Each structure stands twice: as C-alpha cells, then as structure tokens.
Coordinates of all heavy atoms in Angstrom, one line a residue:
M188 N -3.5 7.9 10.8 CA -4.7 7.3 11.5 C -4.3 7.2 13.0 O -3.3 6.7 13.4 CB -5.0 5.9 10.8 CG -6.1 5.2 11.5 SD -6.5 3.6 10.8 CE -7.4 4.1 9.4
T189 N -5.3 7.6 13.8 CA -5.1 7.5 15.2 C -5.5 6.1 15.7 O -6.2 5.3 15.0 CB -6.0 8.5 16.0 OG1 -7.4 8.1 15.8 CG2 -5.7 9.9 15.5
L190 N -5.1 5.7 16.9 CA -5.5 4.4 17.5 C -7.0 4.3 17.6 O -7.6 3.3 17.2 CB -4.9 4.3 18.9 CG -5.3 3.1 19.7 CD1 -4.9 1.8 19.0 CD2 -4.7 3.2 21.1
D191 N -7.7 5.4 18.0 CA -9.2 5.3 18.0 C -9.8 5.1 16.6 O -10.7 4.3 16.5 CB -9.8 6.6 18.6 CG -9.6 6.7 20.2 OD1 -8.9 5.7 20.7 OD2 -9.9 7.7 20.8
D192 N -9.2 5.6 15.6 CA -9.6 5.5 14.2 C -9.5 4.0 13.9 O -10.3 3.4 13.3 CB -8.9 6.4 13.3 CG -9.3 7.8 13.4 OD1 -10.3 8.2 14.0 OD2 -8.4 8.7 12.9
A193 N -8.3 3.4 14.2 CA -8.0 2.1 13.8 C -8.9 1.1 14.6 O -9.5 0.2 14.0 CB -6.6 1.8 14.1
L194 N -9.2 1.4 15.8 CA -10.0 0.5 16.6 C -11.5 0.6 16.1 O -12.2 -0.4 16.1 CB -10.0 0.9 18.1 CG -8.6 0.6 18.7 CD1 -8.6 1.1 20.2 CD2 -8.3 -0.9 18.7
T195 N -11.9 1.8 15.6 CA -13.3 1.9 15.0 C -13.4 1.1 13.8 O -14.4 0.3 13.6 CB -13.5 3.4 14.7 OG1 -13.5 4.2 15.9 CG2 -14.8 3.6 14.0
V196 N -12.3 1.1 12.9 CA -12.4 0.2 11.7 C -12.4 -1.3 12.1 O -13.2 -2.0 11.6 CB -11.2 0.5 10.8 CG1 -11.0 -0.5 9.7 CG2 -11.2 1.9 10.3
F197 N -11.5 -1.6 13.2 CA -11.5 -3.1 13.5 C -12.9 -3.4 14.1 O -13.5 -4.5 13.8 CB -10.5 -3.3 14.8 CG -9.1 -3.2 14.3 CD1 -8.2 -3.0 15.3 CD2 -8.6 -3.2 13.0 CE1 -6.8 -2.8 15.0 CE2 -7.3 -3.1 12.7 CZ -6.4 -2.9 13.7
G198 N -13.5 -2.6 14.9 CA -14.8 -2.8 15.5 C -15.9 -3.0 14.5 O -16.7 -4.0 14.5
E199 N -15.9 -2.1 13.5 CA -16.9 -2.2 12.4 C -16.7 -3.5 11.6 O -17.7 -4.2 11.3 CB -16.8 -1.0 11.5 CG -17.3 0.2 12.1 CD -17.0 1.5 11.4 OE1 -16.3 1.5 10.3 OE2 -17.4 2.7 11.9
Y200 N -15.5 -3.9 11.3 CA -15.2 -5.1 10.5 C -15.5 -6.4 11.4 O -16.0 -7.3 10.8 CB -13.7 -5.2 10.2 CG -13.3 -6.3 9.3 CD1 -13.7 -6.4 8.0 CD2 -12.7 -7.4 9.9 CE1 -13.3 -7.5 7.2 CE2 -12.3 -8.5 9.1 CZ -12.6 -8.6 7.8 OH -12.4 -9.6 7.0
L201 N -15.3 -6.4 12.6 CA -15.5 -7.5 13.5 C -16.8 -7.5 14.2 O -17.1 -8.4 15.0 CB -14.4 -7.7 14.5 CG -12.9 -7.9 13.9 CD1 -11.9 -7.7 15.0 CD2 -12.9 -9.3 13.3
A202 N -17.7 -6.5 14.0 CA -19.0 -6.4 14.6 C -18.8 -6.3 16.2 O -19.5 -6.9 16.9 CB -19.9 -7.5 14.2
I203 N -17.8 -5.5 16.6 CA -17.6 -5.3 18.1 C -17.8 -3.8 18.1 O -17.3 -3.0 17.4 CB -16.2 -5.6 18.4 CG1 -15.9 -7.1 18.2 CG2 -15.9 -5.2 19.8 CD1 -14.4 -7.4 18.3
P204 N -18.5 -3.3 19.2 CA -18.8 -1.9 19.4 C -17.4 -1.2 19.5 O -16.6 -1.5 20.4 CB -19.6 -1.8 20.7 CG -20.3 -3.1 20.7 CD -19.3 -4.1 20.2
P205 N -17.1 -0.2 18.6 CA -15.8 0.4 18.7 C -15.5 1.1 20.1 O -14.4 1.1 20.5 CB -15.9 1.6 17.6 CG -16.9 0.9 16.6 CD -17.9 0.2 17.5
A206 N -16.6 1.6 20.7 CA -16.4 2.1 22.1 C -15.8 1.1 23.0 O -15.0 1.5 23.9 CB -17.7 2.7 22.6
D207 N -16.2 -0.2 22.9 CA -15.7 -1.2 23.8 C -14.2 -1.4 23.5 O -13.4 -1.5 24.4 CB -16.3 -2.6 23.5 CG -17.8 -2.6 24.0 OD1 -18.2 -1.6 24.7 OD2 -18.5 -3.6 23.7
L208 N -13.8 -1.4 22.2 CA -12.3 -1.6 21.9 C -11.5 -0.4 22.4 O -10.5 -0.5 22.9 CB -12.1 -1.7 20.4 CG -12.6 -3.0 19.7 CD1 -12.5 -3.0 18.2 CD2 -11.9 -4.2 20.3
I209 N -12.1 0.9 22.3 CA -11.4 2.0 22.7 C -11.2 2.0 24.3 O -10.2 2.3 24.8 CB -12.2 3.3 22.2 CG1 -12.0 3.4 20.7 CG2 -11.6 4.5 22.9 CD1 -12.9 4.4 20.0
R210 N -12.3 1.5 25.0 CA -12.3 1.4 26.4 C -11.2 0.4 26.8 O -10.4 0.6 27.8 CB -13.6 1.1 26.9 CG -13.7 1.1 28.5 CD -15.1 0.8 29.0 NE -15.3 -0.7 29.0 CZ -16.1 -1.3 28.1 NH1 -16.9 -0.6 27.3 NH2 -16.3 -2.6 28.1
Y211 N -11.2 -0.7 26.2 CA -10.2 -1.8 26.5 C -8.8 -1.3 26.2 O -7.9 -1.5 27.1 CB -10.4 -3.0 25.6 CG -11.7 -3.8 26.0 CD1 -12.4 -4.5 25.0 CD2 -12.1 -4.0 27.4 CE1 -13.6 -5.2 25.3 CE2 -13.2 -4.7 27.7 CZ -14.0 -5.3 26.6 OH -15.0 -6.1 27.0
A212 N -8.6 -0.6 25.2 CA -7.2 -0.1 24.9 C -6.7 0.9 25.9 O -5.6 0.9 26.3 CB -7.2 0.6 23.4
A213 N -7.6 1.6 26.5 CA -7.3 2.5 27.5 C -6.8 1.9 28.8 O -6.1 2.4 29.6 CB -8.4 3.5 27.8
E214 N -7.3 0.6 29.0 CA -6.8 -0.1 30.2 C -5.3 -0.6 30.1 O -4.7 -0.8 31.2 CB -7.6 -1.5 30.2 CG -9.0 -1.4 30.5 CD -9.8 -2.8 30.5 OE1 -9.1 -3.8 30.2 OE2 -10.9 -2.8 30.7
D215 N -4.8 -0.7 28.9 CA -3.4 -1.2 28.8 C -2.4 -0.1 29.1 O -2.5 0.9 28.5 CB -3.3 -1.7 27.3 CG -1.9 -2.2 27.0 OD1 -1.6 -3.3 27.7 OD2 -1.2 -1.7 26.2
T216 N -1.5 -0.5 30.0 CA -0.5 0.5 30.4 C 0.9 0.0 30.2 O 1.8 0.5 30.8 CB -0.7 0.8 31.9 OG1 -0.7 -0.3 32.7 CG2 -2.1 1.5 32.1
L217 N 1.1 -1.1 29.4 CA 2.4 -1.7 29.3 C 3.4 -0.9 28.5 O 4.6 -1.1 28.5 CB 2.3 -3.1 28.8 CG 1.6 -4.1 29.8 CD1 1.4 -5.5 29.0 CD2 2.6 -4.3 30.9
G218 N 2.8 0.0 27.6 CA 3.7 0.8 26.7 C 4.2 0.0 25.6 O 3.9 -1.2 25.3
G219 N 5.2 0.6 24.9 CA 5.8 0.0 23.7 C 7.0 0.8 23.4 O 7.5 1.6 24.1
Y220 N 7.6 0.5 22.2 CA 8.8 1.1 21.7 C 8.4 2.6 21.4 O 7.3 2.9 20.9 CB 9.3 0.4 20.4 CG 10.4 1.2 19.8 CD1 11.7 1.3 20.5 CD2 10.2 1.9 18.6 CE1 12.7 1.9 19.9 CE2 11.2 2.6 18.1 CZ 12.5 2.7 18.6 OH 13.4 3.4 18.1
H221 N 9.3 3.5 21.6 CA 9.2 4.9 21.2 C 10.4 5.3 20.6 O 11.5 4.9 21.1 CB 8.8 5.8 22.3 CG 8.2 7.0 22.0 ND1 9.0 8.0 21.6 CD2 7.0 7.6 22.0 CE1 8.4 9.2 21.3 NE2 7.1 8.9 21.5
S222 N 10.4 6.1 19.6 CA 11.7 6.6 19.0 C 12.5 7.5 19.9 O 13.7 7.6 19.7 CB 11.3 7.4 17.7 OG 10.5 8.4 17.9
D223 N 11.9 8.1 20.9 CA 12.6 8.8 22.0 C 12.9 7.9 23.1 O 12.0 7.4 23.8 CB 11.7 10.0 22.5 CG 12.4 10.7 23.5 OD1 13.5 10.3 24.1 OD2 11.9 11.8 23.9
P224 N 14.2 7.5 23.3 CA 14.5 6.5 24.4 C 14.0 6.8 25.7 O 13.7 5.9 26.5 CB 16.0 6.6 24.3 CG 16.4 7.0 23.0 CD 15.3 8.0 22.5
A225 N 13.8 8.2 26.0 CA 13.3 8.5 27.3 C 11.8 8.1 27.5 O 11.3 7.9 28.6 CB 13.4 10.0 27.5
L226 N 11.1 7.9 26.4 CA 9.6 7.5 26.5 C 9.4 6.1 26.1 O 8.3 5.6 26.1 CB 8.8 8.4 25.4 CG 8.9 9.9 25.7 CD1 8.3 10.7 24.6 CD2 8.4 10.3 27.0
S227 N 10.5 5.3 25.8 CA 10.3 4.0 25.3 C 10.3 3.0 26.5 O 11.1 3.0 27.4 CB 11.5 3.6 24.5 OG 11.2 2.4 23.8
A228 N 9.3 2.2 26.5 CA 9.1 1.2 27.6 C 9.8 -0.1 27.2 O 10.0 -1.0 28.0 CB 7.7 0.9 27.9
W229 N 10.0 -0.3 25.8 CA 10.6 -1.5 25.3 C 11.7 -1.2 24.4 O 11.8 -0.1 23.8 CB 9.5 -2.4 24.7 CG 8.5 -2.8 25.5 CD1 7.3 -2.1 25.9 CD2 8.4 -4.1 26.2 NE1 6.6 -2.9 26.8 CE2 7.3 -4.1 27.0 CE3 9.3 -5.1 26.3 CZ2 6.9 -5.2 27.8 CZ3 8.9 -6.2 27.1 CH2 7.7 -6.2 27.9
P230 N 12.7 -2.1 24.1 CA 13.8 -1.8 23.2 C 13.3 -1.8 21.7 O 12.3 -2.3 21.4 CB 14.8 -3.0 23.5 CG 14.0 -4.0 23.9 CD 12.8 -3.4 24.7
G231 N 14.3 -1.3 20.9 CA 14.0 -1.3 19.4 C 13.6 -2.7 18.9 O 14.2 -3.7 19.4
G232 N 12.8 -2.8 17.9 CA 12.4 -4.0 17.4 C 11.1 -4.5 18.1 O 10.4 -5.4 17.6
S233 N 10.7 -3.9 19.1 CA 9.4 -4.2 19.8 C 8.3 -3.5 19.2 O 8.5 -2.5 18.4 CB 9.5 -3.8 21.3 OG 10.5 -4.4 21.9
L234 N 7.1 -3.8 19.5 CA 5.9 -3.1 18.9 C 5.7 -1.7 19.5 O 6.2 -1.5 20.6 CB 4.7 -3.9 19.1 CG 4.0 -4.0 20.5 CD1 2.6 -4.6 20.3 CD2 4.7 -4.8 21.4
W235 N 5.1 -0.9 18.8 CA 4.8 0.5 19.2 C 3.7 0.4 20.3 O 2.9 -0.5 20.3 CB 4.4 1.4 18.0 CG 5.5 1.5 17.0 CD1 5.8 0.7 16.1 CD2 6.5 2.6 17.0 NE1 6.9 1.1 15.3 CE2 7.3 2.3 15.9 CE3 6.7 3.8 17.7 CZ2 8.4 3.2 15.5 CZ3 7.8 4.6 17.4 CH2 8.6 4.2 16.3
E236 N 3.6 1.5 21.1 CA 2.6 1.4 22.1 C 1.1 1.2 21.6 O 0.4 0.5 22.1 CB 2.6 2.7 22.9 CG 1.6 2.8 24.0 CD 1.8 4.1 24.9 OE1 2.7 4.8 24.7 OE2 1.0 4.2 25.8
D237 N 0.8 2.0 20.5 CA -0.6 1.8 20.0 C -0.8 0.4 19.4 O -1.9 -0.1 19.5 CB -0.8 2.8 18.9 CG -1.1 4.3 19.5 OD1 -1.2 4.3 20.7 OD2 -1.2 5.2 18.6
E238 N 0.2 -0.2 18.9 CA 0.0 -1.6 18.4 C -0.2 -2.5 19.6 O -1.0 -3.4 19.5 CB 1.3 -2.1 17.7 CG 1.6 -1.4 16.4 CD 3.0 -1.7 15.8 OE1 3.9 -1.9 16.6 OE2 3.1 -1.7 14.6
G239 N 0.5 -2.3 20.7 CA 0.2 -3.2 21.9 C -1.2 -2.9 22.4 O -1.8 -3.9 22.8
K240 N -1.6 -1.7 22.4 CA -3.0 -1.4 22.9 C -4.0 -2.0 22.0 O -5.1 -2.5 22.5 CB -3.2 0.2 23.0 CG -2.5 0.8 24.1 CD -2.7 2.3 24.1 CE -2.2 3.0 25.3 NZ -2.9 2.7 26.5
A241 N -3.8 -2.0 20.7 CA -4.7 -2.7 19.8 C -4.8 -4.2 20.0 O -5.9 -4.8 20.0 CB -4.3 -2.3 18.4
L242 N -3.6 -4.8 20.2 CA -3.6 -6.3 20.5 C -4.4 -6.6 21.8 O -5.2 -7.5 21.9 CB -2.2 -6.8 20.7 CG -1.4 -7.1 19.4 CD1 0.1 -7.5 19.8 CD2 -2.0 -8.1 18.5
Y243 N -4.1 -5.8 22.8 CA -4.7 -5.9 24.1 C -6.3 -5.8 23.9 O -7.0 -6.6 24.4 CB -4.3 -4.8 25.0 CG -4.8 -4.9 26.4 CD1 -4.2 -5.6 27.5 CD2 -6.0 -4.2 26.7 CE1 -4.8 -5.6 28.7 CE2 -6.6 -4.2 27.9 CZ -6.1 -4.9 28.9 OH -6.6 -5.0 30.2
A244 N -6.8 -4.7 23.2 CA -8.2 -4.5 23.1 C -8.8 -5.7 22.3 O -9.9 -6.1 22.7 CB -8.4 -3.2 22.3
L245 N -8.1 -6.2 21.3 CA -8.7 -7.3 20.5 C -8.9 -8.5 21.3 O -9.9 -9.2 21.3 CB -7.9 -7.6 19.2 CG -8.0 -6.4 18.2 CD1 -7.0 -6.7 17.1 CD2 -9.5 -6.5 17.6
V246 N -8.0 -8.9 22.1 CA -8.0 -10.0 23.0 C -9.1 -9.8 24.0 O -9.8 -10.8 24.3 CB -6.6 -10.3 23.7 CG1 -6.7 -11.4 24.7 CG2 -5.6 -10.8 22.6
R247 N -9.2 -8.7 24.6 CA -10.2 -8.4 25.6 C -11.6 -8.6 25.0 O -12.5 -9.2 25.6 CB -10.1 -7.0 26.2 CG -8.9 -6.8 27.1 CD -9.1 -7.4 28.5 NE -9.9 -6.4 29.3 CZ -11.0 -6.8 29.9 NH1 -11.4 -8.0 29.9 NH2 -11.8 -5.9 30.6
A248 N -11.7 -8.1 23.8 CA -13.1 -8.2 23.1 C -13.4 -9.6 22.5 O -14.5 -10.0 22.7 CB -13.1 -7.1 22.0
L249 N -12.4 -10.1 21.9 CA -12.7 -11.5 21.2 C -12.6 -12.7 22.2 O -13.2 -13.7 21.9 CB -11.7 -11.7 20.1 CG -11.8 -10.6 19.0 CD1 -10.7 -10.8 18.0 CD2 -13.2 -10.8 18.3
R250 N -11.9 -12.5 23.4 CA -11.8 -13.5 24.3 C -11.4 -14.9 23.8 O -12.0 -15.9 24.0 CB -13.1 -13.7 25.1 CG -13.5 -12.4 25.9 CD -14.7 -12.5 26.7 NE -14.8 -13.7 27.6 CZ -14.3 -13.9 28.7 NH1 -13.6 -12.9 29.2 NH2 -14.4 -15.0 29.4
P251 N -10.3 -15.0 23.1 CA -9.8 -16.2 22.5 C -9.4 -17.1 23.6 O -8.8 -16.7 24.7 CB -8.7 -15.8 21.6 CG -8.1 -14.6 22.2 CD -9.3 -13.9 22.7
F252 N -9.6 -18.4 23.5 CA -9.1 -19.4 24.5 C -7.6 -19.7 24.3 O -6.8 -19.7 25.3 CB -9.9 -20.7 24.4 CG -9.4 -21.7 25.5 CD1 -9.8 -21.5 26.8 CD2 -8.7 -22.8 25.1 CE1 -9.3 -22.4 27.8 CE2 -8.3 -23.7 26.1 CZ -8.6 -23.5 27.5
N253 N -7.2 -19.8 23.0 CA -5.8 -20.1 22.8 C -5.2 -19.0 21.9 O -5.9 -18.7 20.8 CB -5.6 -21.4 22.0 CG -5.7 -22.6 23.0 OD1 -5.1 -22.7 24.0 ND2 -6.6 -23.5 22.7
I254 N -4.1 -18.5 22.2 CA -3.3 -17.5 21.4 C -2.0 -18.0 21.2 O -1.3 -18.4 22.1 CB -3.3 -16.1 22.1 CG1 -4.6 -15.6 22.5 CG2 -2.4 -15.2 21.3 CD1 -4.6 -14.4 23.5
L255 N -1.6 -18.2 19.9 CA -0.3 -18.7 19.5 C 0.5 -17.5 18.9 O 0.1 -17.0 17.9 CB -0.4 -19.9 18.6 CG 1.0 -20.4 18.1 CD1 1.8 -20.9 19.2 CD2 0.7 -21.4 17.0
E256 N 1.6 -17.2 19.5 CA 2.4 -16.1 18.9 C 3.7 -16.7 18.4 O 4.4 -17.5 19.1 CB 2.7 -15.1 20.0 CG 3.7 -14.0 19.5 CD 4.1 -13.1 20.7 OE1 4.2 -13.5 21.8 OE2 4.2 -11.9 20.3
L257 N 4.0 -16.4 17.1 CA 5.3 -16.9 16.5 C 6.2 -15.8 16.4 O 6.0 -14.8 15.7 CB 5.0 -17.6 15.2 CG 3.9 -18.8 15.2 CD1 3.6 -19.2 13.8 CD2 4.5 -19.9 16.1
G258 N 7.3 -15.9 17.1 CA 8.4 -14.7 17.1 C 8.1 -13.9 18.3 O 7.1 -13.2 18.3
V259 N 9.0 -13.9 19.2 CA 8.8 -13.2 20.4 C 9.7 -12.0 20.7 O 9.2 -11.0 21.2 CB 9.0 -14.2 21.6 CG1 8.8 -13.5 23.0 CG2 8.0 -15.3 21.5
H260 N 10.9 -12.0 20.1 CA 11.9 -10.9 20.4 C 12.1 -10.8 21.9 O 12.6 -11.7 22.5 CB 11.5 -9.6 19.7 CG 12.5 -8.6 19.8 ND1 13.8 -8.7 19.4 CD2 12.4 -7.2 20.1 CE1 14.5 -7.7 19.5 NE2 13.7 -6.7 20.0
V261 N 11.7 -9.7 22.5 CA 11.9 -9.5 24.0 C 10.6 -9.7 24.7 O 10.6 -9.5 26.0 CB 12.6 -8.2 24.3 CG1 14.0 -8.1 23.7 CG2 11.8 -7.0 23.8
G262 N 9.5 -10.0 24.1 CA 8.2 -10.3 24.8 C 7.2 -9.1 25.0 O 6.3 -9.2 25.7
A263 N 7.5 -8.1 24.2 CA 6.5 -7.0 24.4 C 5.1 -7.4 24.0 O 4.1 -7.2 24.7 CB 6.9 -5.7 23.5
S264 N 4.9 -7.9 22.8 CA 3.6 -8.2 22.4 C 3.0 -9.4 23.2 O 1.9 -9.4 23.6 CB 3.6 -8.6 20.9 OG 4.5 -9.7 20.6
T265 N 3.9 -10.4 23.6 CA 3.5 -11.4 24.5 C 2.9 -10.8 25.8 O 1.9 -11.3 26.3 CB 4.7 -12.3 24.9 OG1 5.3 -12.7 23.7 CG2 4.2 -13.5 25.7
S266 N 3.5 -9.8 26.3 CA 3.1 -9.2 27.6 C 1.7 -8.6 27.4 O 0.8 -8.7 28.3 CB 4.1 -8.1 28.0 OG 5.3 -8.7 28.3
H267 N 1.4 -7.9 26.2 CA 0.1 -7.3 26.0 C -0.9 -8.4 25.9 O -2.0 -8.3 26.4 CB 0.2 -6.4 24.8 CG 0.9 -5.1 24.9 ND1 0.4 -4.1 25.4 CD2 2.3 -4.9 24.6 CE1 1.3 -3.0 25.5 NE2 2.4 -3.6 25.0
L268 N -0.6 -9.4 25.1 CA -1.6 -10.6 24.9 C -1.9 -11.2 26.2 O -3.1 -11.4 26.6 CB -1.0 -11.6 23.9 CG -0.8 -11.1 22.5 CD1 0.1 -12.1 21.8 CD2 -2.1 -10.9 21.8
R269 N -0.9 -11.5 27.0 CA -1.0 -12.2 28.3 C -1.8 -11.4 29.3 O -2.7 -11.8 30.0 CB 0.4 -12.6 28.9 CG 0.2 -13.4 30.1 CD 1.6 -13.9 30.6 NE 1.4 -14.7 31.8 CZ 1.6 -14.2 33.0 NH1 1.9 -13.0 33.2 NH2 1.5 -15.1 34.0
R270 N -1.5 -10.1 29.4 CA -2.2 -9.2 30.3 C -3.7 -9.2 30.0 O -4.5 -9.1 30.9 CB -1.6 -7.8 30.3 CG -2.3 -6.8 31.1 CD -1.9 -6.6 32.6 NE -0.5 -6.6 32.9 CZ 0.2 -5.5 33.2 NH1 -0.2 -4.4 32.9 NH2 1.5 -5.7 33.5
A271 N -4.0 -9.1 28.7 CA -5.5 -9.1 28.3 C -6.1 -10.4 28.6 O -7.3 -10.4 29.1 CB -5.6 -8.8 26.8
A272 N -5.5 -11.5 28.4 CA -6.1 -12.8 28.8 C -6.3 -12.9 30.3 O -7.3 -13.4 30.7 CB -5.2 -14.0 28.2
Q273 N -5.3 -12.4 31.0 CA -5.4 -12.4 32.5 C -6.6 -11.5 33.0 O -7.4 -12.0 33.8 CB -4.1 -11.9 33.2 CG -3.0 -12.9 33.2 CD -1.7 -12.3 33.7 OE1 -1.4 -11.1 33.5 NE2 -1.0 -13.1 34.5
R274 N -6.7 -10.4 32.3 CA -7.8 -9.5 32.7 C -9.1 -10.1 32.4 O -10.1 -10.0 33.1 CB -7.7 -8.1 32.0 CG -8.6 -7.1 32.3 CD -8.3 -6.5 33.6 NE -9.4 -5.6 34.2 CZ -9.4 -4.3 34.0 NH1 -8.4 -3.7 33.6 NH2 -10.4 -3.6 34.5
N275 N -9.2 -10.9 31.2 CA -10.5 -11.6 30.9 C -10.7 -12.7 31.9 O -11.9 -13.2 32.0 CB -10.3 -12.2 29.5 CG -10.5 -11.2 28.4 OD1 -11.0 -10.1 28.6 ND2 -10.1 -11.6 27.2
G276 N -9.7 -13.2 32.5 CA -9.8 -14.4 33.4 C -10.1 -15.6 32.6 O -10.7 -16.6 33.0
Y277 N -9.5 -15.7 31.4 CA -9.8 -16.7 30.4 C -8.7 -16.7 29.3 O -8.4 -15.6 28.8 CB -11.2 -16.4 29.8 CG -11.7 -17.4 28.8 CD1 -12.2 -18.5 29.2 CD2 -11.5 -17.2 27.4 CE1 -12.7 -19.4 28.2 CE2 -12.0 -18.1 26.4 CZ -12.6 -19.2 26.9 OH -13.0 -20.1 25.9
G278 N -8.3 -17.9 28.9 CA -7.4 -18.0 27.8 C -5.9 -18.2 28.1 O -5.5 -17.9 29.3
Y279 N -5.1 -18.7 27.2 CA -3.7 -19.0 27.3 C -3.0 -18.3 26.2 O -3.5 -18.3 25.1 CB -3.5 -20.4 27.3 CG -4.2 -21.1 28.5 CD1 -5.5 -21.7 28.4 CD2 -3.4 -21.2 29.7 CE1 -6.0 -22.2 29.6 CE2 -4.0 -21.9 30.8 CZ -5.3 -22.4 30.7 OH -5.9 -22.9 31.8
V280 N -1.7 -18.0 26.5 CA -0.9 -17.4 25.4 C 0.3 -18.4 25.3 O 0.9 -18.6 26.3 CB -0.3 -16.0 25.7 CG1 0.6 -15.5 24.7 CG2 -1.5 -15.1 25.9
R281 N 0.6 -18.9 24.1 CA 1.8 -19.7 23.9 C 2.6 -18.9 22.8 O 2.2 -18.5 21.8 CB 1.4 -21.0 23.2 CG 0.4 -21.8 23.9 CD 0.9 -22.8 25.0 NE 0.0 -23.6 25.5 CZ -0.9 -23.4 26.5 NH1 -1.0 -22.3 27.0 NH2 -1.7 -24.3 26.9
S282 N 3.9 -18.7 23.2 CA 4.8 -18.0 22.4 C 6.0 -18.9 22.0 O 6.6 -19.5 22.9 CB 5.3 -16.7 23.0 OG 4.2 -15.9 23.3
V283 N 6.4 -18.8 20.7 CA 7.5 -19.6 20.2 C 8.5 -18.7 19.4 O 8.0 -17.9 18.7 CB 7.0 -20.7 19.3 CG1 8.1 -21.6 18.7 CG2 6.0 -21.6 20.0
D284 N 9.7 -18.9 19.7 CA 10.7 -18.1 19.0 C 11.9 -19.1 18.8 O 12.6 -19.4 19.8 CB 11.1 -16.9 19.7 CG 11.8 -15.9 18.8 OD1 12.5 -16.3 17.9 OD2 11.7 -14.7 19.0
K285 N 12.3 -19.3 17.5 CA 13.5 -20.2 17.3 C 14.7 -19.4 17.1 O 15.8 -20.0 16.9 CB 13.1 -21.0 16.0 CG 12.1 -22.1 16.2 CD 12.0 -22.9 14.9 CE 13.3 -23.5 14.6 NZ 13.3 -24.7 13.8
W286 N 14.7 -18.1 17.1 CA 15.9 -17.3 16.9 C 16.9 -17.7 18.0 O 16.6 -17.6 19.2 CB 15.6 -15.9 16.9 CG 16.8 -15.0 16.5 CD1 17.4 -15.0 15.3 CD2 17.4 -14.0 17.3 NE1 18.4 -14.1 15.4 CE2 18.4 -13.4 16.5 CE3 17.1 -13.5 18.6 CZ2 19.2 -12.4 17.1 CZ3 17.9 -12.5 19.1 CH2 19.0 -12.0 18.3
E287 N 18.2 -18.0 17.6 CA 19.2 -18.3 18.6 C 20.2 -17.2 18.7 O 21.2 -17.5 19.4 CB 19.8 -19.6 18.0 CG 18.9 -20.8 18.1 CD 19.4 -22.0 17.6 OE1 20.7 -22.1 17.5 OE2 18.7 -23.0 17.4
G288 N 20.0 -16.0 18.2 CA 21.0 -15.0 18.2 C 20.9 -14.2 19.5 O 21.6 -13.4 20.0

C-alpha cells in the first residue's frame, strides 16, 4: 500500500478529503528511518518516512489542541507532530518516555 492509498483510507474513515491529507503529507520534509543509511534521516528504531508524513497530515487535518505521545526514543515522531502543530498555529505536543537506557 502506498502512502497516498493509506491517506485515502484514513480520509474516507475520518470524513476528511483524501486530497487534503495527501497535500498535507507533501508539506512534511523531516524524513524518517530508511534501511539504507545514506537515505536515513533518523536512526534505527525511529518511524519510517511515510509514517511520519501520515502523522503530520493527520495533525494538520484534525487540528488537535493536545497531543500526548508515550514513548519518544530519539524524537522522530515528536518532531513530525510538533511541526504539524506549529504549521497549524494551534496545539501542543507533550511527550513522555520513562526509558532510562
């Protein structure tokens, strides 16, 4: 399944025009983990680029005021969530991670 296919399914389920989600996802340039280290913007264990774009698009479309993220690792998903909230000019991201390793 491609990112556009997934965003179309999300849009239909959430009653959001899929074209809006696809347009929002295209705004996101933070990247993600890639199996080729030369193409990877984040270390292993981080979300894949398309996952980050999907999170970003959903936050842009749904415009939540509060976002709570449990488990941060190195902050890749946090970065996508925060950038979308900033672009909206609305909302806060709170991230919590208890891992001490």
Side-chain angles (χ1 to χ4, degrees):
M188 177 178 281
T189 67
L190 175 60
D191 288 358
D192 291 340
L194 293 173
T195 297
V196 171
F197 293 161
E199 290 170 355
Y200 182 77
L201 297 169
I203 300 168
D207 289 353
L208 290 174
I209 292 167
R210 186 180 77 251
Y211 289 143
E214 293 175 358
D215 181 63
T216 59
L217 290 171
Y220 172 73
H221 194 283
S222 56
D223 179 349
L226 300 175
S227 192
W229 295 88
S233 299
L234 76 168
W235 297 86
E236 182 173 356
D237 283 352
E238 293 171 328
K240 287 180 174 287
L242 281 176
Y243 178 94
L245 288 168
V246 171
R247 289 281 283 130
L249 295 171
R250 298 182 49 82
F252 182 73
N253 285 306
I254 301 167
L255 176 61
E256 178 185 33
L257 303 176
V259 178
H260 187 50
V261 296
S264 55
T265 306
S266 297
H267 290 274
L268 295 168
R269 184 171 181 268
R270 174 88 44 100
Q273 285 177 320
R274 184 76 189 259
N275 283 343
Y277 179 83
Y279 296 91
V280 178
R281 308 274 192 274
S282 298
V283 178
D284 196 329
K285 289 185 59 156
W286 187 62
E287 296 177 12

